[in-house]
């Protein structure tokens, strides 16, 4: 997965009833868009991640996950 600052990642739930959630990429820490990424979740938490198989680039997102800014 290659992402850029401002992209939105979507995480699906592993079990039935677990809601999916999104995070905005704040910084790409790897080379050429590769992990790890510093992200901000919708609830405001920030962390570094190495996304797993439950994470995809949300290409349908037209605005930031947390601020509503247009990309």
């Amino acid at each position: 997965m290659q992402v850029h600052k401002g992209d939105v990642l979507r995480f699906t739930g592993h079990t039935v009833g677990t809601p999916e959630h999104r995070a905005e990429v704040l910084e790409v820490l790897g080379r050429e868009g590769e992990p790890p990424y510093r992200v901000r979740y919708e609830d405001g938490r920030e962390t570094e991640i190495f996304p797993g198989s439950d994470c995809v680039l949300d290409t349908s997102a037209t605005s930031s996950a947390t601020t509503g800014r247009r990309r």
Side-chain angles (χ1 to χ4, degrees):
M1 174 185 309
Q2 292 188 349
V3 303
H4 302 92
K5 182 178 177 179
D7 284 347
V8 176
L9 301 176
R10 182 172 45 92
F11 300 85
T12 57
H14 286 285
T15 58
V16 174
T18 303
E20 66 178 36
H21 56 280
R22 290 178 169 73
E24 176 186 8
V25 176
L26 301 176
E27 183 179 4
V28 177
L29 302 170
R31 293 187 208 182
E32 299 179 17
E34 296 292 327
Y37 309 123
R38 175 161 294 282
V39 300
R40 179 183 301 125
Y41 291 100
E42 295 166 304
D43 65 3
R45 291 179 298 128
E46 293 184 13
T47 191
E48 285 182 19
I49 64 166
F50 285 86
S53 61
D54 63 339
C55 178
V56 295
L57 179 60
D58 190 347
T59 58
S60 67
T62 57
S63 63
S64 165
T66 57
T67 62
R69 292 178 305 205
R70 287 279 186 212
R71 293 193 323 176

